[in-house]
Amino acid sequence: MILSIESSCDDSSLAITKIETRELIYHKKISQELEHSKYGGVVPELAARLHVEALPRILEECKEYFPQLKAIAVTNAPGLAVTLMEGVMMAKALSLALDIPLIAVNHLKGHIYSLFIEKETILPMSILLVSGGHTQIIEAKSLKEMEILASTMDDSFGESFDKVSKMLGMGYPGGPVVQEYALKGDSTRFVFPIPLKQSPKIAFSYSGLKNAVRLAIEKIDITNEQDKADICACFQKTAVDHIMQKVKKLFKNKAPKDFAIVGGASANIYLREQLETLCASHKTTLHLSQLKYCSDNAAMIGRVAIEQYKINDFVSIEEIDIQSRVKDFS
Ligand code: KG4
Ligand code: ZN
């Protein structure tokens, strides 16, 4: 069994996974959304302090499995340095105390392997990763061969939902609440320009859209719930249209046999529906993570760790480093 730890942002999570069968024996996550909501986004120092309380509390429940553990896995990149640190410190202490190896896991690989929790790996695959920190298209050939085909030039998809929610005073995280409001809104009331529409490049950008939404909010001086719903509907439509336009470009070059959406924002229903239609028309199989594994969690870290364990991809206590940003992850 492997014990895995995730603390790259505002979720404290631990999981225990069986190496041979991939079975998830234990999984718990304590979210800090409520604590950060009043600030309209994650406050790194507060997040780190909350991890200090939550991680040992969860670990207490895992003690009975300690004699069966073969390795400790932990997210070491990318994420918030101060919160990654908490998980890595716990992992080092456990590795030392139990005298078992340490596995450093890339968080983005974790999101990709969330597709394979308690399942077999299906690779190669083209993957759209949409989270609070990333918007990327990745060509995932194998555990060690992952190429970033496209990424965002500024903000990410999920982050733009968080910002719009903050502008409308609707709290954090913005994705679920903006999606909910959008359902009741008129998606034709405001016309926001689709980012990079004229550009032949497959890349993403959300800062311009964010500003367009800000200007619209200032102009109409929002007074009622319908105004909010209309803003959310128009924003969500444009944010998703932007992704779809670029994914269609990719499919036009060569439609993949297998395509997946992963990351916290892959829970977005409108995005899922649009991609389902596109994939169906190209006879591409669309793979989705279970909703409970879309946002950050330690089960996905444990799932990657099984693959790393099999190839002895360990790191020493002295060598494990924390990288808040990474350019690539192959
Ligand atoms: O993957 P994740 O849990 O954390 C990061 O690694 O960033 O993703 C969290 C992000 C937040 O920005 C949140 O607002 C967004 O995912 N999100 C959504 C939805 N649910 C969560 N964005 C759009 N629509 C949703 N339904
Ligand atoms: Zn994430």
Side-chain angles (χ1 to χ4, degrees):
M1 291 179 191
I2 293 177
L3 183 144
S4 52
I5 306 171
E6 160 61 40
S7 69
S8 67
C9 192
D10 61 338
D11 293 295
S12 316
S13 181
L14 262 63
I16 295 177
T17 317
K18 266 195 178 168
I19 297 166
E20 303 76 20
T21 60
R22 299 181 283 261
E23 189 187 341
L24 191 58
I25 304 289
Y26 172 93
H27 184 219
K28 186 153 187 175
K29 151 164 146 170
I30 298 181
S31 257
Q32 309 171 355
E33 286 171 358
L34 267 182
E35 286 87 345
H36 295 288
S37 190
K38 60 175 174 257
Y39 303 105
V42 176
V43 181
E45 285 69 26
L46 172 62
R49 194 147 41 79
L50 293 169
H51 284 306
V52 173
E53 288 164 23
L55 289 173
R57 227 179 330 132
I58 310 177
L59 188 66
E60 202 55 40
E61 294 179 12
C62 302
K63 279 194 169 154
E64 61 178 293
Y65 301 105
F66 280 8
Q68 297 170 71
L69 294 180
K70 293 277 185 285
I72 304 292
V74 63
T75 306
N76 73 320
L80 300 169
V82 285
T83 64
L84 286 168
M85 182 77 82
E86 297 305 328
V88 168
M89 279 196 313
M90 174 177 267
K92 281 184 177 186
L94 284 169
S95 163
L96 203 62
L98 301 173
D99 194 20
I100 50 177
L102 196 56
I103 300 173
V105 178
N106 179 293
H107 181 79
L108 306 183
K109 271 190 190 171
H111 277 302
I112 293 174
Y113 277 75
S114 69
L115 294 163
F116 314 131
I117 290 173
E118 300 201 297
K119 289 185 196 154
E120 273 180 35
T121 309
I122 305 170
L123 291 179
M125 203 186 278
S126 303
I127 296 167
L128 172 67
L129 166 69
V130 275
S131 70
H134 294 83
T135 307
Q136 294 181 336
I137 299 176
I138 300 149
E139 188 59 33
K141 295 192 179 111
S142 67
L143 178 71
K144 293 282 173 187
E145 276 180 290
M146 300 207 178
E147 190 191 345
I148 300 171
L149 300 183
S151 43
T152 179
M153 292 156 63
D154 40 60
D155 298 342
S156 75
F157 179 75
E159 186 186 1
S160 69
F161 278 73
D162 295 334
K163 295 276 164 58
V164 168
S165 173
K166 191 176 178 182
M167 288 180 223
L168 293 170
M170 303 193 311
Y172 171 86
V177 61
V178 169
Q179 169 175 289
E180 200 57 35
Y181 265 84
L183 285 175
K184 294 167 266 169
D186 171 5
S187 64
T188 60
R189 178 166 163 200
F190 305 96
V191 179
F192 298 130
I194 298 175
L196 305 178
K197 192 175 174 188
Q198 306 305 333
S199 166
K201 221 174 135 184
I202 302 185
F204 304 101
S205 167
Y206 280 97
S207 65
L209 174 59
K210 213 173 64 186
N211 274 332
V213 173
R214 188 194 312 280
L215 292 174
I217 292 173
E218 283 169 7
K219 199 168 169 190
I220 60 166
D221 188 18
I222 295 208
T223 50
N224 60 46
E225 293 294 287
Q226 192 56 51
D227 286 341
K228 282 188 188 176
D230 293 346
I231 290 275
C232 289
C234 297
F235 155 72
Q236 177 178 262
K237 184 171 185 314
T238 313
V240 171
D241 283 354
H242 172 35
I243 290 206
M244 290 310 299
Q245 214 190 33
K246 297 302 179 188
V247 174
K248 276 179 190 161
K249 264 202 168 78
L250 185 87
F251 275 47
K252 208 172 164 195
N253 291 343
K254 187 175 182 281
K257 192 171 148 291
D258 292 280
F259 188 78
I261 345 169
V262 299
S266 71
N268 188 274
I269 293 165
Y270 183 58
L271 176 63
R272 283 183 172 218
E273 283 171 358
Q274 296 289 310
L275 282 166
E276 269 162 18
T277 309
L278 179 72
C279 286
S281 69
H282 285 81
K283 299 201 165 43
T284 294
T285 307
L286 179 64
H287 301 263
L288 301 165
S289 309
Q290 286 185 55
L291 272 181
K292 62 181 169 186
Y293 300 132
C294 284
S295 56
D296 293 349
N297 66 82
M300 66 187 197
I301 303 304
R303 183 63 185 82
V304 180
I306 293 177
E307 304 303 322
Q308 293 186 225
Y309 183 88
K310 285 186 202 156
I311 55 167
N312 293 325
D313 186 3
F314 304 124
V315 60
S316 72
I317 290 179
E318 296 76 31
E319 275 167 357
I320 188 167
D321 61 342
I322 286 163
Q323 286 173 281
S324 54
R325 285 173 183 277
V326 281
K327 271 218 169 71
D328 60 66
F329 52 96
S330 51

